Amino acid sequence: MAKAPRHGHVKTRLASAGAPSFVLELYRAFILDSIALGERAGAHVAIVCPPNDADEISEWVPTDVRVERQRGHGLADALSSTFDILSTRSQRVVAFNGDSPHLPPSVLESAFAALDEHDVVAGPCDDGGYFLVGMRRAHADLFTAESLGTGTALESLLSQARHLGLTSCLTAPHYDIDVPADLARLAAELTLAPERAPRTARVLREWTPVIG
């Protein structure tokens, strides 16, 4: 899932990490590395985005990546649209954000494998949210705007899955990039292993974390 890279439209919590041009360049690198991550994990990659962003996104992502317009607005609608649209074409769909370009491909692979035995799989973040969610088919009412973007988002997802009679499991935990401290952690890791997210590593090579 992605948005068009516009100032004030993406990664607003990273605004203090650098100039607007830096944040937008970083965001584009996140998305391109995330596409490559999905491909390394053996997945067919599609982008689901707000309707007005689709043409702009199509201009800079690889031509073999399908860009789909979500229905509605906000993250809950984006997640629901992802499964409504893509589960008609695939028996296993994993939605993941553009904030974890450094995710090991093995985590994505394990998420797809988990769907052989479970209805829902989620990737837990250390902030109480989740960086991916996968299903074999769409389930109405699984995602709600009230539960997303909070420290109990994962707990709410699993609770709602149980309420709907769905089995669920978790992948290995990971972290995504929300605030400058996360970015500093990522920069340090990519200094040692830039191949994990090479485009992001190039953008961060000259970046100096803001202290304070």
Side-chain angles (χ1 to χ4, degrees), residues 19 35 52 61 82 87 89 91 109 117-118 139 141 149 178 197 203:
I35 291 170
N52 293 336
V61 300
T82 296
S87 63
R89 305 170 187 174
Q91 295 181 341
E109 292 165 359
E117 298 181 356
H118 296 86
H139 294 281
D141 303 322
D178 290 324
V203 175

Side-chain angles (χ1 to χ4, degrees), residues 59-116:
E59 292 175 357
W60 55 271
V61 300
T63 56
D64 61 339
V65 174
R66 193 166 64 248
V67 178
E68 300 280 3
R69 290 170 168 84
Q70 74 174 69
R71 304 182 188 96
H73 303 279
L75 182 55
D77 285 340
L79 282 165
S80 295
S81 293
T82 296
F83 292 100
D84 287 341
I85 295 168
L86 300 181
S87 63
T88 63
R89 305 170 187 174
S90 176
Q91 295 181 341
R92 296 179 297 172
V93 175
V94 172
F96 66 104
N97 58 26
D99 298 336
S100 306
H102 54 303
L103 188 72
S106 59
V107 175
L108 273 185
E109 292 165 359
S110 70
F112 281 110
L115 292 174
D116 288 337

Side-chain angles (χ1 to χ4, degrees), residues 1 75-76 79 83 95-97 99-100 120-134 142-144 147-158 170-171 174-176:
M1 295 175 293
L75 182 55
L79 282 165
F83 292 100
F96 66 104
N97 58 26
D99 298 336
S100 306
V120 180
V121 60
C125 286
D126 52 12
D127 61 2
Y130 49 93
F131 58 85
L132 68 74
V133 57
L142 187 59
F143 306 107
T144 63
S147 66
L148 293 166
T150 70
T152 59
L154 176 62
E155 179 183 338
S156 297
L157 173 71
L158 299 178
L170 301 177
T171 70
H174 205 62
Y175 73 99
D176 55 13

